[in-house]
Amino acid sequence: MRSRTANWFECKIRYEKTMEDGLQKKVSESYTVDALSFTEAEQRIMEEMSSYISGEFEVTDIKKAPYKEIFFDDSELADRWYKTKLQFITIDEKTEKEKRSNVNYLVQAGTLNQAVKNIDEVMGGTMIDYVIASVAETTLMDVFEYKKSEQNDKPEYEGAQ
């Protein structure tokens, strides 16, 4: 289980997909990409999808994703994405009243129960008091993280190995 904070954008693409029965059907699918701007998000999703889609496709929508962070699960069974809302609990020192702030996360898992376990695994390592307010499966097909270019993988100085 690993988590990643970044600028996430949800992108919708539309293309003709060959269905299991061999017929062509126009479909819309949603993906999330890590990008610095809407322009870069469009470029990234077109780049990523061009290796999966043989025909033409169009980007029909791009919007800022409402996730603070994404929790990735690299296990083979983790093939779904769940939007989760956590409430962080703090106590106001002046009024001594409980205050809850909502934060959205995207969690990769195979089942709803596994999504909850993944949240607890990541959040259990923090000192934050939280409540899971909601967990819902999304229609996202995949998430594309920004990959460091090979240039950035070089050591900072020549002696480092």
Side-chain angles (χ1 to χ4, degrees):
M1 206 59 231
R2 61 190 167 84
S3 67
R4 176 117 191 282
T5 304
N7 291 321
W8 298 105
F9 291 84
E10 284 186 4
C11 303
K12 247 189 195 134
I13 63 162
R14 187 165 174 76
Y15 68 101
E16 279 199 18
K17 183 176 189 174
T18 304
M19 305 310 283
E20 288 180 16
D21 60 8
L23 296 174
Q24 296 280 323
K25 181 181 177 187
K26 276 262 189 200
V27 296
S28 288
E29 294 178 342
S30 297
Y31 296 86
T32 296
V33 297
D34 177 5
L36 297 173
S37 66
F38 286 90
T39 304
E40 185 185 5
E42 183 177 28
Q43 177 188 348
R44 295 247 5 262
I45 194 62
M46 290 180 80
E47 228 171 72
E48 293 286 354
M49 297 316 298
S50 64
S51 58
Y52 296 104
I53 299 173
S54 58
E56 289 185 20
F57 64 91
E58 66 175 323
V59 178
T60 59
D61 188 31
I62 299 175
K63 62 184 176 188
K64 274 242 194 240
Y67 319 120
K68 176 173 175 36
E69 205 168 332
I70 295 183
F71 300 161
F72 291 91
D73 184 340
D74 294 326
S75 71
E76 214 172 280
L77 298 174
D79 61 350
R80 295 186 179 117
W81 295 95
Y82 294 86
K83 181 179 178 181
T84 63
K85 184 194 296 183
L86 300 187
Q87 293 181 335
F88 294 148
I89 304 166
T90 55
I91 304 295
D92 185 311
E93 290 180 19
K94 291 180 183 173
T95 63
E96 296 184 12
K97 289 187 178 179
E98 187 178 276
K99 182 182 171 193
R100 292 179 182 229
S101 53
N102 295 321
V103 181
N104 292 319
Y105 294 93
L106 187 64
V107 180
Q108 185 178 20
T111 63
L112 187 115
N113 286 341
Q114 187 61 49
V116 171
K117 286 179 187 174
N118 290 351
I119 293 165
D120 288 335
E121 182 181 318
V122 172
M123 297 307 296
T126 69
M127 299 295 287
I128 301 169
D129 287 331
Y130 69 96
V131 171
I132 299 173
S134 67
V135 178
E137 187 174 346
T138 70
T139 58
L140 286 174
M141 300 299 288
D142 207 350
V143 172
F144 298 108
E145 292 181 86
Y146 181 75
K147 295 178 181 93
K148 291 182 182 176
S149 68
E150 289 181 27
Q151 294 172 351
N152 292 341
D153 291 342
K154 290 180 181 173
E156 286 183 35
Y157 60 93
E158 291 301 314
Q161 302 231 348

